[in-house]
Amino acid sequence: EVQLVESGGGLVQAGGSLRLSCAGSGFTVDDYAIGWFRQAPGKEREAVACMSDSDNSTYYADSVKGRFTISSDNAKNTVYLQMNNLKPEDTAVYYCAAVKVRYLTVVVPHLYNYWGQGTQVTVST
């Protein structure tokens, strides 16, 4: 059974940093496309950063380019989202997701079939 467990969320002041972790079980990261998504109250879920470990391709939303970095540790079967220079508009519940496909970065939420429970990120002014 594929499971994803996020951790690392919390409350941080604007300009601060957080690192989110997504620990996977029941699958291996390099056989899947992995994505980090976020959803703020009243807004649609949006792709923040996505990756395909099999070809090292990545995608970043324009709003986070230069501030967020997605990476993986295959030995730990874990994907990370390093978030620097956080802004209040980054406040949301962050989810990691996985879909079994190689050599493809997937940015559309409904194409993912495995989701974590989410972790809250709150950025104060």
Side-chain angles (χ1 to χ4, degrees):
E1 180 185 4
V2 173
Q3 289 189 328
L4 303 168
V5 179
E6 301 102 334
S7 61
L11 173 64
V12 64
Q13 288 188 327
S17 298
L18 285 173
R19 189 178 78 159
L20 305 183
S21 300
C22 174
S25 60
F27 73 106
T28 54
V29 169
D30 58 0
D31 285 338
Y32 282 67
I34 306 292
W36 282 100
F37 296 80
R38 67 186 180 189
Q39 189 165 19
K43 294 188 177 181
E44 293 187 353
R45 191 168 297 190
E46 63 173 351
V48 174
C50 306
M51 69 178 294
S52 171
D53 191 69
S54 50
D55 65 357
N56 294 317
S57 63
T58 56
Y59 160 86
Y60 293 96
D62 287 343
S63 58
V64 306
K65 282 181 181 176
R67 300 189 297 122
F68 290 12
T69 304
I70 187 171
S71 63
S72 65
D73 183 335
N74 288 1
K76 297 181 178 179
N77 219 42
T78 298
V79 177
Y80 303 97
L81 183 67
Q82 178 67 45
M83 306 185 295
N84 297 327
N85 190 22
L86 283 160
K87 303 177 180 180
E89 52 263 42
D90 294 320
T91 295
V93 178
Y94 283 70
Y95 301 88
C96 67
V99 58
K100 190 173 184 180
V101 63
R102 303 192 77 196
Y103 306 111
L104 185 67
T105 302
V106 181
V107 302
V108 179
H110 75 256
L111 295 179
Y112 284 82
N113 49 2
Y114 299 106
W115 291 84
Q117 81 286 355
T119 185
Q120 176 71 46
V121 172
T122 302
V123 184
S124 64
T125 56

